[in-house]
Amino acid sequence: MSEILYNRVALIGLGLIAGSMSLAMRRAGVVGEITGYARSPETRDTAREINLVDRVCDTAADAVKDADLIVLAVPVGAMGAVMAEIAPALKAGALVTDVGSVKKSIFEAVTPLLPHDVSFVGTHPMAGTEHSGPRAGFAELFDGRWCLIVPPDSANEADVVALERFWRALGATTERMDMDHHDLVCAVVSHTPHLIAYTMVGVADDLSRVTDQEVIKFSAAGFRDFTRIAASDPTMWRDVFLENKDATLEILGRFTEELFALQRAIRQGDGEHLYDYFTRTRTIRRGII
Ligand code: NAD
């Protein structure tokens, strides 16, 4: 019999991440009741139809009013508005968390709106697919994946430890990280690679004679991966770049410098530069698998 970690959990936003959390919470048996709210009536209807959470509410306030843990699982740019909507309904002693892919801007948007007797600790499960919406979730999404725990300096240690236990119960491995560092690391390992995939698929699409049939027909694993990544939700990724502007621009600057150096090496027939570069990157791959 699993220990109940939170009696009531409210999920705001009922898409891929919230849906997967609900299914993983049920699998782990660590939560009493799971309530949920999403802005669109269609999403709420679908969530009811597939029994995604125990109770789908028609207002955000209703979903959070008795909750011990409230999870904001909406696009990054909507976190502040959602927090403003739920703040008056939160119970004393509740903990608010979010699962957004960017941490500093969410902290800045959410914490000024927190009632004095409610705490906030950010999290970021490093798991996803190119699918979105209430039908996209599955209980195994977080198994063996990182979930970064990003407590503000003012966080209560007991809240942080409880959230770590919660995410581990959902299958993830946790690590604590400072929010600025989180945003830089994610710009390197997730955000900029997504932008590169969007760009590469855009380039192929520009050559529409090729994409019409041949790109898909002949695409090898690399380009197929790009098309999968570039099929990710446009609202989510628009918000990620708008809200992680500084770190993404820093990494994009470095990326374009390296790309120009490779471009020059190709033009000048500098095989040594290309060989040395590819040898270095190959070593990195061997270090992570
Ligand atoms: P999703 O599009 O599948 O779901 C988003 C949900 O939020 C939908 O139910 C939508 O109806 C709802 N929503 C949107 N605006 C709202 C509002 N103003 N009020 C209430 N509900 C609203 O998205 P997702 O993939 O579950 O992403 C949710 C969050 O998780 C995002 O902040 C994203 O950055 C983060 N995240 C996503 C991934 C990923 O790969 N998909 C991974 C880690 C973290």
PDB file of all heavy atoms in Angstrom, residues 13-18 37-39 43 73-76 78-79 82 99-101 124-125 127-129 132-133 233 236, ligand 1:
ATOM      1  N   GLY A  13      -4.771  23.018 -16.578  1.00  0.00           N
ATOM      2  CA  GLY A  13      -4.278  22.628 -17.901  1.00  0.00           C
ATOM      3  C   GLY A  13      -4.378  21.116 -17.937  1.00  0.00           C
ATOM      4  O   GLY A  13      -3.959  20.441 -16.982  1.00  0.00           O
ATOM      5  N   LEU A  14      -4.989  20.580 -18.977  1.00  0.00           N
ATOM      6  CA  LEU A  14      -5.181  19.117 -19.035  1.00  0.00           C
ATOM      7  C   LEU A  14      -4.616  18.580 -20.337  1.00  0.00           C
ATOM      8  O   LEU A  14      -5.321  17.947 -21.119  1.00  0.00           O
ATOM      9  CB  LEU A  14      -6.672  18.776 -18.884  1.00  0.00           C
ATOM     10  CG  LEU A  14      -7.261  19.042 -17.490  1.00  0.00           C
ATOM     11  CD1 LEU A  14      -8.781  18.911 -17.502  1.00  0.00           C
ATOM     12  CD2 LEU A  14      -6.650  18.097 -16.454  1.00  0.00           C
ATOM     13  N   GLY A  15      -3.331  18.844 -20.556  1.00  0.00           N
ATOM     14  CA  GLY A  15      -2.686  18.385 -21.782  1.00  0.00           C
ATOM     15  C   GLY A  15      -1.764  17.207 -21.534  1.00  0.00           C
ATOM     16  O   GLY A  15      -1.964  16.425 -20.598  1.00  0.00           O
ATOM     17  N   LEU A  16      -0.747  17.104 -22.384  1.00  0.00           N
ATOM     18  CA  LEU A  16       0.200  15.980 -22.311  1.00  0.00           C
ATOM     19  C   LEU A  16       0.798  15.799 -20.915  1.00  0.00           C
ATOM     20  O   LEU A  16       0.787  14.696 -20.355  1.00  0.00           O
ATOM     21  CB  LEU A  16       1.337  16.216 -23.329  1.00  0.00           C
ATOM     22  CG  LEU A  16       2.547  15.289 -23.188  1.00  0.00           C
ATOM     23  CD1 LEU A  16       2.193  13.866 -23.598  1.00  0.00           C
ATOM     24  CD2 LEU A  16       3.722  15.801 -24.014  1.00  0.00           C
ATOM     25  N   ILE A  17       1.319  16.890 -20.344  1.00  0.00           N
ATOM     26  CA  ILE A  17       2.042  16.750 -19.073  1.00  0.00           C
ATOM     27  C   ILE A  17       1.065  16.492 -17.921  1.00  0.00           C
ATOM     28  O   ILE A  17       1.255  15.546 -17.141  1.00  0.00           O
ATOM     29  CB  ILE A  17       2.922  18.001 -18.802  1.00  0.00           C
ATOM     30  CG1 ILE A  17       3.941  18.189 -19.940  1.00  0.00           C
ATOM     31  CG2 ILE A  17       3.607  17.889 -17.451  1.00  0.00           C
ATOM     32  CD1 ILE A  17       4.995  17.114 -20.074  1.00  0.00           C
ATOM     33  N   ALA A  18       0.007  17.309 -17.820  1.00  0.00           N
ATOM     34  CA  ALA A  18      -0.947  17.103 -16.716  1.00  0.00           C
ATOM     35  C   ALA A  18      -1.610  15.733 -16.830  1.00  0.00           C
ATOM     36  O   ALA A  18      -1.777  15.021 -15.827  1.00  0.00           O
ATOM     37  CB  ALA A  18      -1.998  18.208 -16.722  1.00  0.00           C
ATOM     38  N   TYR A  37      -8.736  21.221 -14.371  1.00  0.00           N
ATOM     39  CA  TYR A  37      -9.428  22.285 -15.088  1.00  0.00           C
ATOM     40  C   TYR A  37      -8.608  22.643 -16.319  1.00  0.00           C
ATOM     41  O   TYR A  37      -7.377  22.685 -16.268  1.00  0.00           O
ATOM     42  CB  TYR A  37      -9.579  23.539 -14.203  1.00  0.00           C
ATOM     43  CG  TYR A  37     -10.008  24.754 -14.989  1.00  0.00           C
ATOM     44  CD1 TYR A  37     -11.339  24.916 -15.378  1.00  0.00           C
ATOM     45  CD2 TYR A  37      -9.078  25.720 -15.390  1.00  0.00           C
ATOM     46  CE1 TYR A  37     -11.728  26.014 -16.144  1.00  0.00           C
ATOM     47  CE2 TYR A  37      -9.465  26.813 -16.147  1.00  0.00           C
ATOM     48  CZ  TYR A  37     -10.794  26.957 -16.523  1.00  0.00           C
ATOM     49  OH  TYR A  37     -11.182  28.030 -17.287  1.00  0.00           O
ATOM     50  N   ALA A  38      -9.277  22.864 -17.439  1.00  0.00           N
ATOM     51  CA  ALA A  38      -8.633  23.440 -18.622  1.00  0.00           C
ATOM     52  C   ALA A  38      -9.563  24.518 -19.145  1.00  0.00           C
ATOM     53  O   ALA A  38     -10.784  24.454 -18.927  1.00  0.00           O
ATOM     54  CB  ALA A  38      -8.381  22.386 -19.682  1.00  0.00           C
ATOM     55  N   ARG A  39      -8.984  25.487 -19.839  1.00  0.00           N
ATOM     56  CA  ARG A  39      -9.769  26.650 -20.265  1.00  0.00           C
ATOM     57  C   ARG A  39     -10.839  26.272 -21.278  1.00  0.00           C
ATOM     58  O   ARG A  39     -11.949  26.782 -21.254  1.00  0.00           O
ATOM     59  CB  ARG A  39      -8.791  27.673 -20.864  1.00  0.00           C
ATOM     60  CG  ARG A  39      -9.375  29.003 -21.172  1.00  0.00           C
ATOM     61  CD  ARG A  39      -8.323  29.903 -21.748  1.00  0.00           C
ATOM     62  NE  ARG A  39      -7.524  29.215 -22.780  1.00  0.00           N
ATOM     63  CZ  ARG A  39      -6.610  29.793 -23.534  1.00  0.00           C
ATOM     64  NH1 ARG A  39      -6.341  31.070 -23.357  1.00  0.00           N
ATOM     65  NH2 ARG A  39      -5.947  29.116 -24.447  1.00  0.00           N
ATOM     66  N   THR A  43     -11.764  20.544 -24.191  1.00  0.00           N
ATOM     67  CA  THR A  43     -10.738  19.791 -23.454  1.00  0.00           C
ATOM     68  C   THR A  43     -11.345  19.199 -22.189  1.00  0.00           C
ATOM     69  O   THR A  43     -11.090  18.031 -21.846  1.00  0.00           O
ATOM     70  CB  THR A  43      -9.548  20.725 -23.096  1.00  0.00           C
ATOM     71  OG1 THR A  43      -9.038  21.262 -24.307  1.00  0.00           O
ATOM     72  CG2 THR A  43      -8.454  19.969 -22.365  1.00  0.00           C
ATOM     73  N   ALA A  73      -0.012  23.569 -15.375  1.00  0.00           N
ATOM     74  CA  ALA A  73       0.499  22.805 -16.522  1.00  0.00           C
ATOM     75  C   ALA A  73      -0.044  23.395 -17.816  1.00  0.00           C
ATOM     76  O   ALA A  73      -0.530  22.678 -18.694  1.00  0.00           O
ATOM     77  CB  ALA A  73       0.124  21.332 -16.376  1.00  0.00           C
ATOM     78  N   VAL A  74       0.016  24.723 -17.901  1.00  0.00           N
ATOM     79  CA  VAL A  74      -0.436  25.449 -19.093  1.00  0.00           C
ATOM     80  C   VAL A  74       0.803  25.983 -19.811  1.00  0.00           C
ATOM     81  O   VAL A  74       1.909  25.930 -19.259  1.00  0.00           O
ATOM     82  CB  VAL A  74      -1.386  26.615 -18.680  1.00  0.00           C
ATOM     83  CG1 VAL A  74      -2.638  26.064 -18.020  1.00  0.00           C
ATOM     84  CG2 VAL A  74      -0.687  27.605 -17.762  1.00  0.00           C
ATOM     85  N   PRO A  75       0.653  26.528 -21.039  1.00  0.00           N
ATOM     86  CA  PRO A  75       1.828  27.107 -21.712  1.00  0.00           C
ATOM     87  C   PRO A  75       2.495  28.175 -20.834  1.00  0.00           C
ATOM     88  O   PRO A  75       1.815  28.856 -20.050  1.00  0.00           O
ATOM     89  CB  PRO A  75       1.222  27.709 -22.984  1.00  0.00           C
ATOM     90  CG  PRO A  75      -0.008  26.877 -23.235  1.00  0.00           C
ATOM     91  CD  PRO A  75      -0.550  26.539 -21.880  1.00  0.00           C
ATOM     92  N   VAL A  76       3.815  28.313 -20.974  1.00  0.00           N
ATOM     93  CA  VAL A  76       4.592  29.181 -20.084  1.00  0.00           C
ATOM     94  C   VAL A  76       4.002  30.597 -20.014  1.00  0.00           C
ATOM     95  O   VAL A  76       3.894  31.181 -18.933  1.00  0.00           O
ATOM     96  CB  VAL A  76       6.071  29.216 -20.543  1.00  0.00           C
ATOM     97  CG1 VAL A  76       6.874  30.188 -19.707  1.00  0.00           C
ATOM     98  CG2 VAL A  76       6.682  27.815 -20.473  1.00  0.00           C
ATOM     99  N   ALA A  78       1.057  31.589 -20.155  1.00  0.00           N
ATOM    100  CA  ALA A  78      -0.264  31.682 -19.506  1.00  0.00           C
ATOM    101  C   ALA A  78      -0.179  31.497 -17.990  1.00  0.00           C
ATOM    102  O   ALA A  78      -1.188  31.637 -17.288  1.00  0.00           O
ATOM    103  CB  ALA A  78      -1.213  30.635 -20.106  1.00  0.00           C
ATOM    104  N   MET A  79       1.014  31.216 -17.457  1.00  0.00           N
ATOM    105  CA  MET A  79       1.139  30.878 -16.025  1.00  0.00           C
ATOM    106  C   MET A  79       0.670  32.024 -15.124  1.00  0.00           C
ATOM    107  O   MET A  79      -0.041  31.796 -14.134  1.00  0.00           O
ATOM    108  CB  MET A  79       2.593  30.525 -15.677  1.00  0.00           C
ATOM    109  CG  MET A  79       3.126  29.297 -16.387  1.00  0.00           C
ATOM    110  SD  MET A  79       2.582  27.776 -15.597  1.00  0.00           S
ATOM    111  CE  MET A  79       3.407  26.549 -16.637  1.00  0.00           C
ATOM    112  N   VAL A  82      -3.138  32.443 -15.094  1.00  0.00           N
ATOM    113  CA  VAL A  82      -3.773  31.330 -14.374  1.00  0.00           C
ATOM    114  C   VAL A  82      -3.587  31.517 -12.869  1.00  0.00           C
ATOM    115  O   VAL A  82      -4.513  31.309 -12.074  1.00  0.00           O
ATOM    116  CB  VAL A  82      -3.183  29.990 -14.859  1.00  0.00           C
ATOM    117  CG1 VAL A  82      -3.526  28.865 -13.909  1.00  0.00           C
ATOM    118  CG2 VAL A  82      -3.688  29.673 -16.261  1.00  0.00           C
ATOM    119  N   VAL A  99       5.034  23.133 -14.182  1.00  0.00           N
ATOM    120  CA  VAL A  99       5.846  22.162 -14.927  1.00  0.00           C
ATOM    121  C   VAL A  99       6.423  22.807 -16.183  1.00  0.00           C
ATOM    122  O   VAL A  99       6.819  22.118 -17.122  1.00  0.00           O
ATOM    123  CB  VAL A  99       5.012  20.912 -15.322  1.00  0.00           C
ATOM    124  CG1 VAL A  99       4.629  20.123 -14.091  1.00  0.00           C
ATOM    125  CG2 VAL A  99       3.768  21.312 -16.118  1.00  0.00           C
ATOM    126  N   GLY A 100       6.440  24.142 -16.205  1.00  0.00           N
ATOM    127  CA  GLY A 100       6.859  24.862 -17.407  1.00  0.00           C
ATOM    128  C   GLY A 100       8.313  24.610 -17.771  1.00  0.00           C
ATOM    129  O   GLY A 100       9.149  24.304 -16.923  1.00  0.00           O
ATOM    130  N   SER A 101       8.608  24.782 -19.065  1.00  0.00           N
ATOM    131  CA  SER A 101       9.936  24.489 -19.588  1.00  0.00           C
ATOM    132  C   SER A 101      10.929  25.614 -19.323  1.00  0.00           C
ATOM    133  O   SER A 101      12.112  25.480 -19.635  1.00  0.00           O
ATOM    134  CB  SER A 101       9.845  24.250 -21.093  1.00  0.00           C
ATOM    135  OG  SER A 101       8.852  23.294 -21.353  1.00  0.00           O
ATOM    136  N   HIS A 124      10.422  20.994 -13.451  1.00  0.00           N
ATOM    137  CA  HIS A 124      10.425  20.817 -14.909  1.00  0.00           C
ATOM    138  C   HIS A 124      10.723  19.356 -15.244  1.00  0.00           C
ATOM    139  O   HIS A 124      11.881  18.931 -15.200  1.00  0.00           O
ATOM    140  CB  HIS A 124      11.481  21.724 -15.557  1.00  0.00           C
ATOM    141  CG  HIS A 124      11.550  21.585 -17.046  1.00  0.00           C
ATOM    142  ND1 HIS A 124      12.593  22.056 -17.794  1.00  0.00           N
ATOM    143  CD2 HIS A 124      10.705  21.004 -17.939  1.00  0.00           C
ATOM    144  CE1 HIS A 124      12.388  21.775 -19.074  1.00  0.00           C
ATOM    145  NE2 HIS A 124      11.248  21.123 -19.184  1.00  0.00           N
ATOM    146  N   PRO A 125       9.669  18.586 -15.530  1.00  0.00           N
ATOM    147  CA  PRO A 125       9.916  17.214 -15.978  1.00  0.00           C
ATOM    148  C   PRO A 125      10.499  17.241 -17.387  1.00  0.00           C
ATOM    149  O   PRO A 125       9.908  17.816 -18.298  1.00  0.00           O
ATOM    150  CB  PRO A 125       8.512  16.591 -15.970  1.00  0.00           C
ATOM    151  CG  PRO A 125       7.568  17.747 -16.116  1.00  0.00           C
ATOM    152  CD  PRO A 125       8.245  18.950 -15.547  1.00  0.00           C
ATOM    153  N   ALA A 127      10.614  15.548 -20.006  1.00  0.00           N
ATOM    154  CA  ALA A 127      10.013  14.439 -20.752  1.00  0.00           C
ATOM    155  C   ALA A 127       8.887  15.020 -21.580  1.00  0.00           C
ATOM    156  O   ALA A 127       8.170  15.904 -21.112  1.00  0.00           O
ATOM    157  CB  ALA A 127       9.451  13.403 -19.781  1.00  0.00           C
ATOM    158  N   GLY A 128       8.740  14.536 -22.782  1.00  0.00           N
ATOM    159  CA  GLY A 128       7.646  15.038 -23.609  1.00  0.00           C
ATOM    160  C   GLY A 128       7.586  14.258 -24.905  1.00  0.00           C
ATOM    161  O   GLY A 128       8.422  13.382 -25.150  1.00  0.00           O
ATOM    162  N   THR A 129       6.576  14.549 -25.673  1.00  0.00           N
ATOM    163  CA  THR A 129       6.471  13.978 -27.016  1.00  0.00           C
ATOM    164  C   THR A 129       6.019  15.130 -27.917  1.00  0.00           C
ATOM    165  O   THR A 129       5.779  16.236 -27.428  1.00  0.00           O
ATOM    166  CB  THR A 129       5.415  12.852 -27.096  1.00  0.00           C
ATOM    167  OG1 THR A 129       4.121  13.451 -26.979  1.00  0.00           O
ATOM    168  CG2 THR A 129       5.614  11.801 -26.019  1.00  0.00           C
ATOM    169  N   SER A 132       0.095  16.706 -28.108  1.00  0.00           N
ATOM    170  CA  SER A 132      -0.409  17.580 -27.053  1.00  0.00           C
ATOM    171  C   SER A 132      -1.897  17.301 -26.843  1.00  0.00           C
ATOM    172  O   SER A 132      -2.516  16.561 -27.611  1.00  0.00           O
ATOM    173  CB  SER A 132      -0.167  19.047 -27.416  1.00  0.00           C
ATOM    174  OG  SER A 132      -0.726  19.334 -28.665  1.00  0.00           O
ATOM    175  N   GLY A 133      -2.432  17.900 -25.778  1.00  0.00           N
ATOM    176  CA  GLY A 133      -3.858  17.747 -25.492  1.00  0.00           C
ATOM    177  C   GLY A 133      -4.152  16.597 -24.536  1.00  0.00           C
ATOM    178  O   GLY A 133      -3.261  15.814 -24.195  1.00  0.00           O
ATOM    179  N   ASP A 233       4.051  21.233 -30.241  1.00  0.00           N
ATOM    180  CA  ASP A 233       2.978  22.233 -30.123  1.00  0.00           C
ATOM    181  C   ASP A 233       3.483  23.673 -30.339  1.00  0.00           C
ATOM    182  O   ASP A 233       4.366  24.140 -29.606  1.00  0.00           O
ATOM    183  CB  ASP A 233       2.351  22.110 -28.727  1.00  0.00           C
ATOM    184  CG  ASP A 233       1.133  22.982 -28.600  1.00  0.00           C
ATOM    185  OD1 ASP A 233       0.129  22.664 -29.247  1.00  0.00           O
ATOM    186  OD2 ASP A 233       1.197  24.014 -27.883  1.00  0.00           O
ATOM    187  N   MET A 236       3.151  26.156 -27.175  1.00  0.00           N
ATOM    188  CA  MET A 236       4.132  25.866 -26.133  1.00  0.00           C
ATOM    189  C   MET A 236       5.507  26.410 -26.521  1.00  0.00           C
ATOM    190  O   MET A 236       6.163  27.092 -25.739  1.00  0.00           O
ATOM    191  CB  MET A 236       4.217  24.355 -25.903  1.00  0.00           C
ATOM    192  CG  MET A 236       5.355  24.000 -24.979  1.00  0.00           C
ATOM    193  SD  MET A 236       5.690  22.244 -24.878  1.00  0.00           S
ATOM    194  CE  MET A 236       7.409  22.305 -24.388  1.00  0.00           C
TER     195      MET A 236
HETATM  196  P1  NAD B   1      -0.591  20.810 -23.943  1.00  0.00           P
HETATM  197  O1  NAD B   1      -0.812  21.751 -25.073  1.00  0.00           O
HETATM  198  O2  NAD B   1      -0.704  19.349 -24.181  1.00  0.00           O
HETATM  199  O3  NAD B   1      -1.584  21.206 -22.744  1.00  0.00           O
HETATM  200  C1  NAD B   1      -1.771  22.520 -22.304  1.00  0.00           C
HETATM  201  C2  NAD B   1      -3.104  22.587 -21.592  1.00  0.00           C
HETATM  202  O4  NAD B   1      -3.273  23.898 -21.048  1.00  0.00           O
HETATM  203  C3  NAD B   1      -4.308  22.335 -22.487  1.00  0.00           C
HETATM  204  O5  NAD B   1      -5.232  21.545 -21.784  1.00  0.00           O
HETATM  205  C4  NAD B   1      -4.902  23.736 -22.688  1.00  0.00           C
HETATM  206  O6  NAD B   1      -6.285  23.685 -22.897  1.00  0.00           O
HETATM  207  C5  NAD B   1      -4.581  24.353 -21.353  1.00  0.00           C
HETATM  208  N1  NAD B   1      -4.520  25.806 -21.331  1.00  0.00           N
HETATM  209  C6  NAD B   1      -3.884  26.635 -22.189  1.00  0.00           C
HETATM  210  N2  NAD B   1      -4.018  27.918 -21.781  1.00  0.00           N
HETATM  211  C7  NAD B   1      -4.760  27.873 -20.649  1.00  0.00           C
HETATM  212  C8  NAD B   1      -5.244  28.848 -19.759  1.00  0.00           C
HETATM  213  N3  NAD B   1      -4.978  30.152 -19.945  1.00  0.00           N
HETATM  214  N4  NAD B   1      -5.991  28.436 -18.685  1.00  0.00           N
HETATM  215  C9  NAD B   1      -6.239  27.126 -18.469  1.00  0.00           C
HETATM  216  N5  NAD B   1      -5.815  26.150 -19.284  1.00  0.00           N
HETATM  217  C10 NAD B   1      -5.087  26.524 -20.359  1.00  0.00           C
HETATM  218  O7  NAD B   1       0.831  21.212 -23.327  1.00  0.00           O
HETATM  219  P2  NAD B   1       1.856  20.341 -22.449  1.00  0.00           P
HETATM  220  O8  NAD B   1       2.826  19.702 -23.348  1.00  0.00           O
HETATM  221  O9  NAD B   1       1.112  19.535 -21.452  1.00  0.00           O
HETATM  222  O10 NAD B   1       2.640  21.537 -21.740  1.00  0.00           O
HETATM  223  C11 NAD B   1       2.203  22.103 -20.524  1.00  0.00           C
HETATM  224  C12 NAD B   1       3.396  22.773 -19.843  1.00  0.00           C
HETATM  225  O11 NAD B   1       4.407  21.779 -19.637  1.00  0.00           O
HETATM  226  C13 NAD B   1       4.033  23.895 -20.657  1.00  0.00           C
HETATM  227  O12 NAD B   1       4.349  24.958 -19.795  1.00  0.00           O
HETATM  228  C14 NAD B   1       5.295  23.272 -21.207  1.00  0.00           C
HETATM  229  O13 NAD B   1       6.345  24.238 -21.333  1.00  0.00           O
HETATM  230  C15 NAD B   1       5.637  22.246 -20.138  1.00  0.00           C
HETATM  231  N6  NAD B   1       6.393  21.076 -20.609  1.00  0.00           N
HETATM  232  C16 NAD B   1       6.107  20.503 -21.812  1.00  0.00           C
HETATM  233  C17 NAD B   1       6.871  19.438 -22.260  1.00  0.00           C
HETATM  234  C18 NAD B   1       6.609  18.808 -23.605  1.00  0.00           C
HETATM  235  O14 NAD B   1       7.540  18.284 -24.217  1.00  0.00           O
HETATM  236  N7  NAD B   1       5.393  18.832 -24.101  1.00  0.00           N
HETATM  237  C19 NAD B   1       7.893  18.908 -21.452  1.00  0.00           C
HETATM  238  C20 NAD B   1       8.112  19.481 -20.197  1.00  0.00           C
HETATM  239  C21 NAD B   1       7.369  20.573 -19.778  1.00  0.00           C
END
